[in-house]
């Protein structure tokens, strides 16, 4: 069975600090996809990134960066110079093995609530 | 403007009543999903549909039912058999051809049953 663990329930930082959100996953599949989503107070989940298991390159998008390490089954998310608008719950998710022609189910972690204050 | 709409945003029902949550998308996605979110928990999959007139149970389907008569629409009925229906319900859609693509989510419906 697949599992995603986000051990940090809640993190509080002061604006401009860097913060890393941890994500550890378990799967027996050799091919899989990982995702990060942001859930602001409005409730709607916003897609941030999708990464497949064959691509271990780190990715940077503005103040966001992701570190994928297959050896430790981790896909951590770092926000550089955090801002108040980054306050949200962040979810890491893992797709099950891909079967052509079928919808892909996601397994979500329990989320990390990030609070950024002035 | 493409996206997913869910209505209503807040819904109140008395125990013992069935209630239907609406989900519509104009993204031309084949796959649609329903999730339930409880405080402090991640999202749990209720039902999903990869194509019109087809749907599959997710991890917590008991007490729920769905239909998929149109590509754009995937309504969820919370029946009186669902023991703890009060929760935040999220609908999502995605491309289903090819490798797993990201799912796009609607704004959610917060259901309170008393």
């Amino acid at each position: 069975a697949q599992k995603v663990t986000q051990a940090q329930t809640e993190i509080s930082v002061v604006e401009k600090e860097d913060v890393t959100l941890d994500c550890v996953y378990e799967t027996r599949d050799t091919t899989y996809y990982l995702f990060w989503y942001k859930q602001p107070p409005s409730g709607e989940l916003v897609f941030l990134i999708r990464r497949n298991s064959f691509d271990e390159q780190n990715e940077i998008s503005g103040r966001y960066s992701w570190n994928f390490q297959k050896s430790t089954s981790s896909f951590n998310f770092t926000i550089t110079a955090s801002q108040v608008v980054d306050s949200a719950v962040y979810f890491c998710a893992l797709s099950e093995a891909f079967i052509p022609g079928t919808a892909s189910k996601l397994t979500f972690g329990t989320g990390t609530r990030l609070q950024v204050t002035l | 403007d493409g996206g997913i709409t869910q209505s209503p945003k807040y819904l109140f029902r008395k125990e013992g009543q069935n209630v239907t949550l609406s989900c519509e998308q104009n993204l031309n996605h084949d796959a649609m999903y329903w999730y339930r979110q409880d405080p402090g928990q991640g999202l749990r999959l209720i039902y999903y549909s990869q194509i019109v007139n087809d749907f599959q149970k997710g991890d917590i389907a008991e007490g729920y039912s769905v239909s998929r008569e149109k590509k754009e629409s995937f309504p969820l009925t919370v029946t009186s058999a669902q023991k703890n229906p009060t929760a935040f319900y999220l609908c999502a859609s995605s491309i289903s051809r090819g490798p797993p693509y990201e799912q796009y989510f609607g704004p959610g419906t917060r259901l309170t049953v008393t």
Side-chain angles (χ1 to χ4, degrees):
Chain A
Q2 301 196 120
K3 188 176 176 184
V4 176
T5 301
Q6 294 181 257
Q8 304 151 308
T9 307
E10 195 158 339
I11 301 175
S12 290
V13 298
V14 176
E15 205 176 39
K16 297 196 178 81
E17 283 185 18
D18 298 348
V19 58
T20 295
L21 310 181
D22 298 333
C23 173
V24 174
Y25 62 91
E26 294 174 31
T27 181
R28 280 186 246 175
D29 299 330
T30 53
T31 303
Y32 50 88
Y33 285 73
L34 293 158
F35 303 80
W36 274 95
Y37 285 86
K38 173 182 180 180
Q39 186 178 39
S42 60
E44 183 172 340
L45 265 74
V46 177
F47 164 73
L48 296 177
I49 190 171
R50 164 182 174 258
R51 173 55 55 85
N52 76 54
S53 53
F54 293 109
D55 183 2
E56 287 194 70
Q57 280 196 343
N58 290 335
E59 179 148 346
I60 299 174
S61 175
R63 295 184 297 108
Y64 294 172
S65 63
W66 289 269
N67 182 288
F68 177 32
Q69 293 204 343
K70 223 166 166 178
S71 59
T72 55
S73 296
S74 65
F75 187 42
N76 296 337
F77 173 32
T78 297
I79 301 175
T80 303
S82 59
Q83 299 176 1
V84 172
V85 293
D86 295 326
S87 297
V89 180
Y90 291 85
F91 290 97
C92 181
L94 169 69
S95 73
E96 63 176 13
F98 166 57
I99 301 172
T102 66
S104 298
K105 293 161 56 178
L106 294 181
T107 299
F108 283 84
T110 51
T112 297
R113 180 176 299 278
L114 174 64
Q115 186 72 34
V116 182
T117 55
L118 292 169
Chain B
D1 235 344
I4 300 177
T5 56
Q6 291 185 246
S7 59
K9 193 165 177 63
Y10 298 95
L11 192 52
F12 299 89
R13 279 294 182 270
K14 293 287 187 190
E15 205 171 307
Q17 292 179 336
N18 290 356
V19 58
T20 297
L21 281 58
S22 162
C23 176
E24 304 276 331
Q25 55 100 358
N26 62 3
L27 298 167
N28 200 32
H29 286 164
D30 286 314
M32 295 187 75
Y33 311 79
W34 272 107
Y35 291 92
R36 170 184 172 134
Q37 185 179 20
D38 294 284
Q41 295 195 30
L43 279 67
R44 291 183 292 167
L45 183 65
I46 305 173
Y47 267 98
Y48 65 104
S49 167
Q50 60 196 37
I51 202 165
V52 174
N53 293 323
D54 179 76
F55 49 83
Q56 309 291 331
K57 290 182 180 179
D59 301 317
I60 55 164
E62 187 175 344
Y64 299 97
S65 66
V66 293
S67 63
R68 186 88 187 276
E69 296 174 4
K70 296 188 300 182
K71 187 175 186 177
E72 303 79 20
S73 179
F74 190 41
L76 173 75
T77 297
V78 184
T79 74
S80 55
Q82 167 50 233
K83 291 184 174 38
N84 286 307
T86 295
F88 187 51
Y89 290 88
L90 286 155
C91 178
S93 71
S94 73
I95 297 170
S96 68
R97 291 181 295 282
Y101 285 94
E102 57 274 19
Q103 295 178 14
Y104 291 92
F105 285 80
T109 292
R110 197 166 295 279
L111 173 65
T112 302
V113 176
T114 55

